[in-house]
Amino acid sequence: MPQTVRIGLIGAGFMGQKAHLENYVTIPECKVVALAEGREATARQVADKFGIAHVYPDHRAMLAAEELDAVVAVMPYRLYHAVVPEVLQAGLPLLTEKPMCLRTDTARGLAELADRQGVVYYVGYMKRSLPATQEAVKTLRQWQASGEVGSMRYLRALMPPGNWTFDIERPVSGPDAPVSYEGEAPEAPPEHLSPEMQRKYDSFVNYYIHQVNLIRYLLGEDWHVTYVDPTEAVLAGESESGVPVVLEMQGYGLKNGWEESYRVVFEAGKVDLSVPAPLARQRGGELDVFSSATQTSIRPVLPPHWCFLEQARHFVRCLRGEDTPRVSVWDAVKDLEVADEYVRLLEKRR
Protein backbone atom coordinates (compact mmCIF):
# COMPACT_ATOMS: atom_id res chain seq x y z
CA MET A 1 0.00 0.00 0.00
CA PRO A 2 1.43 3.45 -0.90
CA GLN A 3 2.24 6.03 1.78
CA THR A 4 -0.76 8.12 0.71
CA VAL A 5 -3.92 6.04 0.35
CA ARG A 6 -6.11 6.97 -2.63
CA ILE A 7 -9.79 6.78 -1.66
CA GLY A 8 -12.90 6.89 -3.83
CA LEU A 9 -16.15 8.00 -2.16
CA ILE A 10 -19.53 6.67 -3.26
CA GLY A 11 -22.39 8.90 -2.13
CA ALA A 12 -22.31 12.59 -1.21
CA GLY A 13 -25.50 12.85 0.81
CA PHE A 14 -25.89 13.99 4.41
CA MET A 15 -23.86 11.21 6.04
CA GLY A 16 -21.46 10.92 3.13
CA GLN A 17 -20.39 14.51 3.59
CA LYS A 18 -20.83 15.23 7.29
CA ALA A 19 -19.75 11.93 8.87
CA HIS A 20 -17.17 10.71 6.35
CA LEU A 21 -15.86 13.06 3.66
CA GLU A 22 -15.24 15.95 6.06
CA ASN A 23 -13.06 13.61 8.12
CA TYR A 24 -11.09 11.85 5.40
CA VAL A 25 -9.96 15.12 3.81
CA THR A 26 -8.24 16.05 7.10
CA ILE A 27 -6.11 12.89 7.31
CA PRO A 28 -2.60 13.44 5.84
CA GLU A 29 -2.09 9.74 5.05
CA CYS A 30 -4.99 9.60 2.59
CA LYS A 31 -6.47 11.60 -0.27
CA VAL A 32 -10.02 11.48 -1.61
CA VAL A 33 -9.35 11.44 -5.34
CA ALA A 34 -12.76 10.55 -6.80
CA LEU A 35 -16.45 10.94 -6.05
CA ALA A 36 -19.35 8.88 -7.41
CA GLU A 37 -22.64 10.75 -7.00
CA GLY A 38 -25.73 10.68 -9.22
CA ARG A 39 -26.68 14.32 -8.61
CA GLU A 40 -24.37 16.09 -11.04
CA ALA A 41 -24.70 19.64 -9.71
CA THR A 42 -24.34 18.56 -6.10
CA ALA A 43 -21.37 16.34 -6.98
CA ARG A 44 -19.59 19.27 -8.64
CA GLN A 45 -20.21 21.55 -5.67
CA VAL A 46 -18.95 18.93 -3.23
CA ALA A 47 -15.87 18.21 -5.37
CA ASP A 48 -15.07 21.91 -5.58
CA LYS A 49 -15.44 22.40 -1.83
CA PHE A 50 -13.24 19.44 -0.86
CA GLY A 51 -10.76 19.47 -3.74
CA ILE A 52 -11.78 16.16 -5.29
CA ALA A 53 -10.25 15.85 -8.75
CA HIS A 54 -12.69 13.52 -10.50
CA VAL A 55 -16.48 13.14 -10.40
CA TYR A 56 -18.48 10.20 -11.77
CA PRO A 57 -22.22 9.50 -12.08
CA ASP A 58 -21.96 6.07 -10.44
CA HIS A 59 -19.56 3.62 -8.83
CA ARG A 60 -19.07 1.56 -11.98
CA ALA A 61 -17.69 4.53 -13.91
CA MET A 62 -15.41 5.40 -11.00
CA LEU A 63 -14.09 1.86 -10.61
CA ALA A 64 -13.43 1.59 -14.34
CA ALA A 65 -11.50 4.86 -14.59
CA GLU A 66 -9.62 5.23 -11.29
CA GLU A 67 -6.61 3.56 -9.69
CA LEU A 68 -7.90 3.40 -6.13
CA ASP A 69 -6.54 1.90 -2.94
CA ALA A 70 -9.91 1.78 -1.14
CA VAL A 71 -13.55 2.82 -1.33
CA VAL A 72 -15.86 4.45 1.22
CA ALA A 73 -19.50 3.84 0.27
CA VAL A 74 -22.20 5.81 2.10
CA MET A 75 -25.75 5.31 0.87
CA PRO A 76 -29.09 3.90 2.03
CA TYR A 77 -28.33 0.41 3.33
CA ARG A 78 -30.99 -1.13 1.11
CA LEU A 79 -28.70 -0.38 -1.86
CA TYR A 80 -25.52 -2.00 -0.57
CA HIS A 81 -26.55 -5.37 -2.00
CA ALA A 82 -26.15 -3.88 -5.49
CA VAL A 83 -22.94 -1.88 -4.94
CA VAL A 84 -20.76 -3.74 -2.47
CA PRO A 85 -20.24 -6.91 -4.59
CA GLU A 86 -18.75 -4.92 -7.47
CA VAL A 87 -16.35 -3.08 -5.17
CA LEU A 88 -15.23 -6.33 -3.56
CA GLN A 89 -14.90 -8.07 -6.93
CA ALA A 90 -12.58 -5.24 -7.96
CA GLY A 91 -10.35 -6.30 -5.06
CA LEU A 92 -10.70 -3.01 -3.20
CA PRO A 93 -10.87 -2.62 0.58
CA LEU A 94 -14.18 -1.07 1.57
CA LEU A 95 -15.86 0.83 4.39
CA THR A 96 -19.64 1.19 4.46
CA GLU A 97 -22.14 2.52 6.94
CA LYS A 98 -24.11 0.19 9.17
CA PRO A 99 -26.05 -2.04 8.73
CA MET A 100 -24.12 -3.78 5.95
CA CYS A 101 -27.42 -4.54 4.15
CA LEU A 102 -30.97 -5.50 5.11
CA ARG A 103 -31.17 -9.30 4.98
CA THR A 104 -29.11 -11.91 6.77
CA ASP A 105 -28.75 -14.13 3.69
CA THR A 106 -27.43 -11.17 1.69
CA ALA A 107 -25.05 -10.29 4.51
CA ARG A 108 -23.59 -13.80 4.62
CA GLY A 109 -23.05 -13.72 0.87
CA LEU A 110 -21.21 -10.37 1.08
CA ALA A 111 -19.05 -11.59 3.97
CA GLU A 112 -18.14 -14.76 2.09
CA LEU A 113 -17.24 -12.71 -0.99
CA ALA A 114 -14.96 -10.46 1.08
CA ASP A 115 -13.26 -13.55 2.52
CA ARG A 116 -12.73 -15.05 -0.95
CA GLN A 117 -11.32 -11.77 -2.26
CA GLY A 118 -9.12 -11.36 0.79
CA VAL A 119 -9.95 -7.68 1.24
CA VAL A 120 -10.77 -5.54 4.26
CA TYR A 121 -14.53 -4.98 4.54
CA TYR A 122 -14.99 -2.50 7.40
CA VAL A 123 -18.60 -1.91 8.51
CA GLY A 124 -18.95 1.51 10.12
CA TYR A 125 -19.75 0.83 13.76
CA MET A 126 -18.05 4.06 14.76
CA LYS A 127 -19.03 3.76 18.45
CA ARG A 128 -16.26 1.17 18.76
CA SER A 129 -13.77 3.93 17.92
CA LEU A 130 -14.99 6.32 20.62
CA PRO A 131 -12.15 6.99 23.13
CA ALA A 132 -14.42 6.08 26.06
CA THR A 133 -15.39 2.79 24.39
CA GLN A 134 -11.77 1.90 23.71
CA GLU A 135 -10.83 2.58 27.34
CA ALA A 136 -13.86 0.62 28.59
CA VAL A 137 -12.99 -2.42 26.48
CA LYS A 138 -9.36 -2.23 27.64
CA THR A 139 -10.56 -2.39 31.27
CA LEU A 140 -13.11 -5.13 30.57
CA ARG A 141 -10.60 -7.38 28.79
CA GLN A 142 -8.08 -6.83 31.61
CA TRP A 143 -10.66 -7.79 34.24
CA GLN A 144 -11.77 -10.84 32.26
CA ALA A 145 -8.18 -12.01 31.84
CA SER A 146 -7.08 -11.43 35.44
CA GLY A 147 -10.24 -12.38 37.32
CA GLU A 148 -9.41 -9.58 39.79
CA VAL A 149 -13.07 -8.51 40.17
CA GLY A 150 -14.64 -11.90 39.59
CA SER A 151 -16.79 -12.81 36.63
CA MET A 152 -19.00 -10.60 34.47
CA ARG A 153 -22.56 -10.86 35.76
CA TYR A 154 -24.77 -8.40 33.87
CA LEU A 155 -24.88 -5.89 31.01
CA ARG A 156 -27.47 -3.12 30.69
CA ALA A 157 -27.77 -0.82 27.66
CA LEU A 158 -30.03 2.24 27.61
CA MET A 159 -30.86 4.30 24.53
CA PRO A 160 -34.18 6.09 24.11
CA PRO A 161 -34.60 8.01 20.83
CA GLY A 162 -33.10 11.51 20.89
CA ASN A 163 -31.38 14.20 18.84
CA TRP A 164 -28.80 12.05 17.04
CA THR A 165 -27.64 14.78 14.60
CA PHE A 166 -26.99 17.24 17.44
CA ASP A 167 -28.05 20.01 15.03
CA ILE A 168 -24.93 19.68 12.89
CA GLU A 169 -24.79 22.09 9.96
CA ARG A 170 -26.36 21.00 6.70
CA PRO A 171 -24.22 19.50 3.89
CA VAL A 172 -23.63 20.97 0.45
CA SER A 173 -26.66 20.38 -1.75
CA GLY A 174 -27.24 21.55 -5.32
CA PRO A 175 -30.53 22.27 -7.06
CA ASP A 176 -30.83 18.73 -8.42
CA ALA A 177 -33.33 16.40 -6.79
CA PRO A 178 -32.31 12.99 -5.38
CA VAL A 179 -32.21 10.27 -8.02
CA SER A 180 -32.65 6.52 -7.80
CA TYR A 181 -29.28 4.78 -7.84
CA GLU A 182 -28.85 3.43 -11.37
CA GLY A 183 -32.38 2.10 -11.28
CA GLU A 184 -31.43 -0.51 -8.69
CA ALA A 185 -34.38 -1.76 -6.65
CA PRO A 186 -33.89 -1.48 -2.89
CA GLU A 187 -33.25 -4.77 -1.16
CA ALA A 188 -36.49 -6.45 -0.10
CA PRO A 189 -37.05 -7.28 3.60
CA PRO A 190 -37.22 -10.93 4.73
CA GLU A 191 -40.25 -12.72 3.28
CA HIS A 192 -40.87 -14.77 6.41
CA LEU A 193 -42.04 -11.62 8.23
CA SER A 194 -45.48 -10.06 7.90
CA PRO A 195 -45.67 -6.59 6.30
CA GLU A 196 -45.98 -4.98 9.74
CA MET A 197 -42.98 -6.89 11.07
CA GLN A 198 -40.99 -6.11 7.94
CA ARG A 199 -41.41 -2.43 8.77
CA LYS A 200 -40.42 -3.01 12.38
CA TYR A 201 -37.39 -5.05 11.32
CA ASP A 202 -36.31 -2.30 8.93
CA SER A 203 -36.68 0.29 11.69
CA PHE A 204 -34.79 -1.82 14.25
CA VAL A 205 -31.78 -2.50 12.03
CA ASN A 206 -31.63 1.18 11.08
CA TYR A 207 -31.77 2.51 14.61
CA TYR A 208 -30.67 -0.13 17.15
CA ILE A 209 -28.10 -2.17 15.23
CA HIS A 210 -25.38 0.01 16.79
CA GLN A 211 -26.43 -1.08 20.27
CA VAL A 212 -26.65 -4.73 19.21
CA ASN A 213 -23.07 -4.48 17.98
CA LEU A 214 -21.65 -2.51 20.90
CA ILE A 215 -23.16 -4.96 23.39
CA ARG A 216 -21.16 -7.75 21.70
CA TYR A 217 -17.99 -5.62 21.78
CA LEU A 218 -18.35 -4.95 25.50
CA LEU A 219 -19.18 -8.58 26.29
CA GLY A 220 -16.29 -9.88 24.22
CA GLU A 221 -18.53 -12.65 22.89
CA ASP A 222 -21.73 -13.29 20.95
CA TRP A 223 -25.20 -12.97 22.43
CA HIS A 224 -28.77 -13.77 21.45
CA VAL A 225 -32.27 -12.52 22.29
CA THR A 226 -34.27 -14.48 24.90
CA TYR A 227 -37.21 -12.15 25.66
CA VAL A 228 -39.06 -9.36 23.86
CA ASP A 229 -41.52 -6.99 25.48
CA PRO A 230 -44.56 -6.72 23.16
CA THR A 231 -44.67 -2.93 23.69
CA GLU A 232 -41.10 -2.74 22.29
CA ALA A 233 -39.79 -0.93 25.35
CA VAL A 234 -37.15 -3.51 26.21
CA LEU A 235 -35.50 -6.73 25.10
CA ALA A 236 -33.46 -9.22 27.06
CA GLY A 237 -30.74 -11.59 25.97
CA GLU A 238 -27.93 -13.86 27.07
CA SER A 239 -24.29 -14.10 26.09
CA GLU A 240 -22.50 -17.29 25.10
CA SER A 241 -21.17 -17.68 28.65
CA GLY A 242 -24.55 -16.92 30.24
CA VAL A 243 -24.27 -13.19 31.02
CA PRO A 244 -27.76 -11.62 31.03
CA VAL A 245 -28.23 -8.62 28.74
CA VAL A 246 -30.93 -5.93 28.73
CA LEU A 247 -31.48 -3.24 26.08
CA GLU A 248 -33.93 -0.49 27.08
CA MET A 249 -35.47 1.39 24.13
CA GLN A 250 -38.47 3.24 25.56
CA GLY A 251 -38.52 6.90 24.49
CA TYR A 252 -39.93 9.82 26.44
CA GLY A 253 -39.84 12.71 23.97
CA LEU A 254 -36.14 13.63 24.20
CA LYS A 255 -35.75 16.33 21.53
CA ASN A 256 -32.65 18.38 22.37
CA GLY A 257 -30.29 15.80 23.83
CA TRP A 258 -28.95 12.28 23.63
CA GLU A 259 -28.91 9.63 26.34
CA GLU A 260 -26.99 6.42 25.62
CA SER A 261 -25.27 4.43 28.33
CA TYR A 262 -23.93 0.97 29.12
CA ARG A 263 -23.33 -0.63 32.52
CA VAL A 264 -21.23 -3.79 32.72
CA VAL A 265 -21.36 -5.39 36.16
CA PHE A 266 -18.83 -7.84 37.63
CA GLU A 267 -18.92 -9.59 41.00
CA ALA A 268 -16.71 -6.90 42.54
CA GLY A 269 -16.75 -3.98 40.13
CA LYS A 270 -18.54 -2.22 37.30
CA VAL A 271 -17.88 -0.11 34.22
CA ASP A 272 -20.28 2.70 33.23
CA LEU A 273 -19.91 3.97 29.67
CA SER A 274 -21.69 7.08 28.38
CA VAL A 275 -21.81 7.57 24.60
CA PRO A 276 -22.52 10.97 22.97
CA ALA A 277 -24.83 11.64 20.05
CA PRO A 278 -23.39 10.21 16.81
CA LEU A 279 -22.80 13.61 15.19
CA ALA A 280 -21.67 15.44 18.34
CA ARG A 281 -18.10 16.43 17.47
CA GLN A 282 -15.28 16.86 19.98
CA ARG A 283 -16.90 14.49 22.44
CA GLY A 284 -15.05 11.32 23.37
CA GLY A 285 -17.62 9.89 25.77
CA GLU A 286 -17.39 9.37 29.52
CA LEU A 287 -16.29 6.42 31.63
CA ASP A 288 -16.66 5.54 35.30
CA VAL A 289 -14.81 2.47 36.61
CA PHE A 290 -15.57 1.14 40.11
CA SER A 291 -13.72 -1.59 41.97
CA SER A 292 -14.81 -2.88 45.37
CA ALA A 293 -11.16 -3.21 46.41
CA THR A 294 -10.90 0.57 46.84
CA GLN A 295 -14.62 1.49 47.05
CA THR A 296 -13.87 4.39 44.72
CA SER A 297 -14.71 5.29 41.14
CA ILE A 298 -12.09 6.28 38.58
CA ARG A 299 -13.16 8.71 35.83
CA PRO A 300 -10.31 8.90 33.29
CA VAL A 301 -9.85 12.16 31.40
CA LEU A 302 -10.40 11.13 27.78
CA PRO A 303 -9.49 13.02 24.60
CA PRO A 304 -12.43 14.91 23.04
CA HIS A 305 -12.15 13.00 19.76
CA TRP A 306 -15.17 12.46 17.51
CA CYS A 307 -15.82 8.75 16.93
CA PHE A 308 -16.39 9.23 13.17
CA LEU A 309 -13.00 10.90 12.79
CA GLU A 310 -11.34 8.23 14.91
CA GLN A 311 -12.97 5.54 12.76
CA ALA A 312 -11.68 7.20 9.58
CA ARG A 313 -8.16 7.40 11.01
CA HIS A 314 -8.32 3.76 12.06
CA PHE A 315 -9.55 2.63 8.63
CA VAL A 316 -6.62 4.42 6.99
CA ARG A 317 -4.20 2.76 9.42
CA CYS A 318 -5.71 -0.61 8.50
CA LEU A 319 -5.23 0.15 4.81
CA ARG A 320 -1.58 1.01 5.46
CA GLY A 321 -1.07 -2.28 7.32
CA GLU A 322 -0.54 -0.52 10.65
CA ASP A 323 -3.60 -1.94 12.42
CA THR A 324 -6.45 -4.45 12.07
CA PRO A 325 -10.19 -3.67 11.83
CA ARG A 326 -12.06 -3.18 15.11
CA VAL A 327 -15.08 -4.93 13.65
CA SER A 328 -15.23 -8.08 11.57
CA VAL A 329 -17.65 -8.23 8.68
CA TRP A 330 -18.97 -11.36 10.36
CA ASP A 331 -19.85 -9.26 13.41
CA ALA A 332 -22.11 -7.24 11.13
CA VAL A 333 -23.72 -10.45 9.88
CA LYS A 334 -24.37 -11.55 13.46
CA ASP A 335 -25.98 -8.18 14.22
CA LEU A 336 -28.59 -8.77 11.52
CA GLU A 337 -29.17 -12.27 12.89
CA VAL A 338 -29.90 -10.78 16.33
CA ALA A 339 -32.28 -8.26 14.72
CA ASP A 340 -34.08 -11.05 12.89
CA GLU A 341 -34.30 -13.03 16.13
CA TYR A 342 -35.75 -9.98 17.93
CA VAL A 343 -38.48 -9.37 15.37
CA ARG A 344 -39.39 -13.06 15.13
CA LEU A 345 -39.94 -13.11 18.90
CA LEU A 346 -41.82 -9.81 18.74
CA GLU A 347 -44.17 -11.26 16.12
CA LYS A 348 -44.87 -14.25 18.37
CA ARG A 349 -45.70 -11.96 21.30
CA ARG A 350 -48.24 -9.94 19.28
Side-chain angles (χ1 to χ4, degrees), residues 153-233:
R153 303 306 299 271
Y154 176 68
L155 189 152
R156 171 184 181 256
L158 169 70
M159 202 204 76
N163 181 8
W164 71 274
T165 68
F166 234 58
D167 296 332
I168 198 169
E169 65 274 11
R170 302 299 299 174
V172 172
S173 183
D176 37 2
V179 295
S180 61
Y181 196 82
E182 298 182 40
E184 296 285 359
E187 186 181 12
E191 294 88 354
H192 64 78
L193 298 174
S194 67
E196 179 190 5
M197 289 300 147
Q198 287 178 345
R199 290 189 293 272
K200 291 187 178 297
Y201 174 81
D202 196 3
S203 176
F204 185 84
V205 300
N206 180 43
Y207 204 74
Y208 281 103
I209 207 75
H210 269 305
Q211 288 66 50
V212 169
N213 182 271
L214 193 53
I215 287 170
R216 181 184 300 103
Y217 196 38
L218 296 173
L219 288 169
E221 60 187 19
D222 291 336
W223 68 285
H224 66 277
V225 181
T226 58
Y227 168 81
V228 172
D229 165 32
T231 71
E232 304 172 51

Side-chain angles (χ1 to χ4, degrees), residues 328-348:
S328 161
V329 67
W330 287 102
D331 279 324
V333 175
K334 293 172 184 176
D335 296 334
L336 289 172
E337 292 173 347
V338 169
D340 187 81
E341 190 174 46
Y342 165 73
V343 177
R344 283 176 185 263
L345 288 174
L346 179 62
E347 191 166 39
K348 290 180 179 179

